Amino acid sequence: MEITSRALWTLVHGMGFGALYLVAFSGALVELYRFSTVSPASEIDPGRERFVKIYLLTMVVLAWAAVLTGAYVIYPWYRAVPPSGTADLSMYPQRLLMAGPATSGWHSLGMEWKEHVAWFAPISMTMVAFVFIRYGRDLKRHRQLRAAVLSFAVASLVSAGIAGFWGAMINKYAPVQGGSTIQLSRGDEK
Amino acid sequence: MKMQNSTASSGGPALTDGSGAAAILAAGIGCFALSVLAIAGDKWAAIKNSLVFYRPTGPLSGVTTTAILIWLMVWGILEWRWRNRSVAAGRINAAALALLFLSLVLTFPPVVDLF
């Protein structure tokens, strides 16, 4: 069993950072909502509040790690320009997708949207974490801030969901390939 | 926008909402800046070329780096101005959410193609 270094980076970006970020959302939204509705605010356990702050900070790190590895590690491989006359475009995913009318939409709609909308996730989540860390249980006193924080958190989820969906589909039709081969395990010979 | 001095609510003194509103509005502006830069880079070759900060990533590097700098600068300025104040949080949040919604719409390629 083996994997190429580029495929491994794609896995780390998508399944490691991106998917983990999306999975973490259910917990974050529940906790943000709970902290916004529990009454009175003094009933909130300080230990739980500290846990949610660390949880949100971890999500911020995951979101930034996802967009930065996407933009600066994987995207250059995706948009690499083949030498003129190259017939096999399998190492050039963007060109491979754009070569056929049945696949060009994965780039012109999918990647063009994903590469920008994805950045709303870390920006929004950084704000959400900052406001929660700053206000903590006191957020309950600020209805307007609470509503905006929850809205931005949902927008962050939507942005990450859009980016994740298109990323998975694009990698299905034109996977990023190449780089050194990493041997994960040696199968039994038949 | 209407500003007041520090506030207090039931249960004792509370943090003012200025700091939170600053972070929220800055996030909206940052997202909006990113979508506007993305459209500008898509429509004008000169802007596209000027946004290539890191050649392998292309204009995306400049679009995102510039938007992040705008976001952080706006956040810093607003935080400095509003940190200890109560602000018109309702209007500020509405503006931030409107900018966020516009940003989501303006990054959708069929909408970008309308410009």
Side-chain angles (χ1 to χ4, degrees), chain A residues 94-106:
Chain A
Q94 180 184 352
R95 305 302 161 133
L96 180 63
L97 291 173
M98 292 173 73
T103 54
S104 62
W106 291 113

Side-chain angles (χ1 to χ4, degrees), chain A residues 44 55 76 97 114 124-126 150 171:
Chain A
I44 296 168
Y55 190 96
L97 291 173
K114 165 188 164 64
S124 298
M125 188 44 67
T126 302
L150 282 169
N171 200 50

Side-chain angles (χ1 to χ4, degrees), chain B residues 8-27:
Chain B
S9 55
S10 60
L15 283 169
T16 58
D17 55 10
S19 182
I24 290 163
L25 183 58

Side-chain angles (χ1 to χ4, degrees), chain A residues 25-105:
Chain A
F25 244 104
S26 53
L29 287 176
V30 167
E31 287 298 332
L32 283 171
Y33 182 75
R34 212 177 69 84
F35 269 81
S36 304
T37 54
V38 169
S39 181
S42 57
E43 282 181 5
I44 296 168
D45 173 24
R48 192 172 189 91
E49 186 177 335
R50 192 166 50 249
F51 171 80
V52 176
K53 287 176 179 176
I54 293 167
Y55 190 96
L56 291 175
L57 274 178
T58 305
M59 287 185 69
V60 171
V61 171
L62 284 173
W64 283 109
V67 294
L68 290 173
T69 53
Y72 291 98
V73 179
I74 296 158
Y75 190 57
W77 296 327
Y78 171 82
R79 70 188 294 273
V81 178
S84 59
T86 304
D88 180 8
L89 296 174
S90 59
M91 298 290 283
Y92 306 94
Q94 180 184 352
R95 305 302 161 133
L96 180 63
L97 291 173
M98 292 173 73
T103 54
S104 62

